[in-house]
Amino acid sequence: MRKNLRYLILLLVLLFVAVNEALIKSRSTSWENPLWVRIYAVNGDGRNATEKYIDSLTRNSFAAVEKFVNSEARRHGVLIDAIDVEYNGRLQSGPPELPAEQSVLGNIWWSLRFRAWAAHRAWNSDQDEGDVELFVTYYDIETTHSLRHSVGLEGGLIGIINAFADKSYRGSNQVVIAHELMHTLGASDKYAMDSIPQYPQGYAEPYLKPLYPQRRAEIMGGRIPLSAQQAIMPRSLAEVVVGIQTAAEINWPIDR
Ligand SMILES: [Zn+2]
């Protein structure tokens, strides 16, 4: 009996989450008003170097993300500024860490905890709440050499970005922020297991002749294909575009 009750409660929670997300999703991709994107910084390793780097962050540190999305949105037929990016400063504690091992149940549980954490944080804050909230967790490059993956929750309109606390990574951090932002709006990954972009949807210029080397990356393809087997990370959003399939997924008009 108690077991059934637990299932019922879990089902109701999931139903509530699903209905809520469907509502949010249709509102967030109508492109009638600019979407408010709010960025927060978190010190991921508690180190001084990381703290110092976070001290240096301003709205300007994320302006490239706004510029990129707005100019790509216009190119795809959105008539207004698609997004408005604001930096809301640092948080003393970050979102729940991603499970180290990937499992379906583990991921569902983590995503519910992340949603609960974000809702609780917004509830206790008197800052302007965003439509999309992105939490960028920084790590010192002295002690962190590879980052856990970043996640943007579709429908939840929240994302975690793991980033390097160093100026030399500013451009690539912005690429990851834009990628996860697109996920929150419903865009899907367009690369294979080995990080090689899928053809044609993961290519910036699928009709380029000759096809290789490509000059830019598609935002959800993630990398610039140099050949069918080799692709490199873009250094900044200047080397990235939003392709047609991604644009369609986030409800940009394309050529309707
Ligand atoms: Zn992705």
Side-chain angles (χ1 to χ4, degrees), residues 150-152 176 179-180 183 187-191 219-220:
S150 300
V151 177
V176 180
H179 177 99
E180 301 309 333
H183 270 313
S188 64
D189 281 324
K190 295 173 183 66
Y191 56 83
I219 185 68
M220 305 312 287

Side-chain angles (χ1 to χ4, degrees), residues 132-163:
V132 182
E133 309 221 290
L134 301 175
F135 305 95
V136 186
T137 306
Y138 289 95
Y139 295 89
D140 186 359
I141 51 171
E142 286 290 317
T143 47
T144 298
H145 303 292
S146 71
L147 296 167
R148 283 198 188 183
H149 62 281
S150 300
V151 177
L153 286 186
E154 182 186 348
L157 295 180
I158 47 177
I160 289 186
I161 289 95
N162 290 314

Side-chain angles (χ1 to χ4, degrees), residues 16 28 79 92 101 231 238:
F16 174 77
S28 65
L79 300 175
Q92 288 318 317
E101 275 173 52

Side-chain angles (χ1 to χ4, degrees), residues 40-46 51 54-55 87-95 117 121 127 135-137:
Y40 303 83
V42 177
N43 185 333
D45 51 19
E51 201 63 15
I54 293 177
D55 284 342
Y87 173 53
N88 267 1
R90 92 183 66 203
L91 299 177
Q92 288 318 317
S93 63
W117 176 86
R121 193 212 63 77
Q127 279 173 316
F135 305 95
V136 186
T137 306

